[in-house]
Amino acid sequence: TELGYLVEAVGDEPGQEPQLKPGVLILEIAAAPLVGLEPDDLDAAFGRHFAHGAGLLLVDAEELRRATIERDSEGECPCNEADDAEEFDKEVLQANTEILEHGSVMNL
């Protein structure tokens, strides 16, 4: 993928690191970045640096997908638009606030 080399299967050979499992993205191999490469370039870069003991930078593909969606949607979320103090109407808040037992506040 454009985000790195997606691990789809891992052989049963002894010595495989437990972190290397299906669903993991390899972002770097031997300090060579794999992010943003076209499929042919990705395969070539991975093959060029593949060796016993090569350092890998790994991330869970699903976790990265969720984080990317969250990051990309933050600018579009209307819930973040009213953060500016100038837009905050204190009179409206006070009119819709009920003070409960023990000083708790409930906004209605």
Side-chain angles (χ1 to χ4, degrees):
T1 73
E2 68 181 25
L3 298 174
Y5 195 92
L6 178 64
V7 177
E8 295 176 343
V10 177
D12 292 332
E13 300 170 21
Q16 296 288 3
E17 295 293 329
Q19 297 86 357
L20 190 61
K21 58 189 175 193
V24 166
L25 274 170
I26 302 173
L27 305 178
E28 289 183 2
I29 181 168
L34 302 176
V35 177
L37 299 178
E38 295 294 323
D40 289 341
D41 296 332
L42 177 66
D43 288 340
F46 188 84
R48 202 169 35 252
H49 298 286
F50 182 79
H52 180 72
L56 301 175
L57 179 60
L58 307 174
V59 67
D60 181 83
E62 181 60 22
E63 184 178 346
L64 180 60
R65 185 190 70 80
R66 285 193 310 265
T68 302
I69 290 170
E70 183 178 328
R71 181 206 60 207
D72 292 347
S73 67
E74 279 190 17
E76 300 168 14
C77 181
C79 56
N80 292 334
E81 292 177 6
D83 288 342
D84 195 1
E86 294 176 0
E87 296 176 2
F88 190 73
D89 188 349
K90 292 181 182 179
E91 290 178 10
V92 172
L93 178 61
Q94 289 172 348
N96 294 318
T97 299
E98 178 181 336
I99 298 178
L100 306 174
E101 276 184 59
H102 311 293
S104 300
V105 175
M106 176 194 284
N107 293 320
L108 307 172

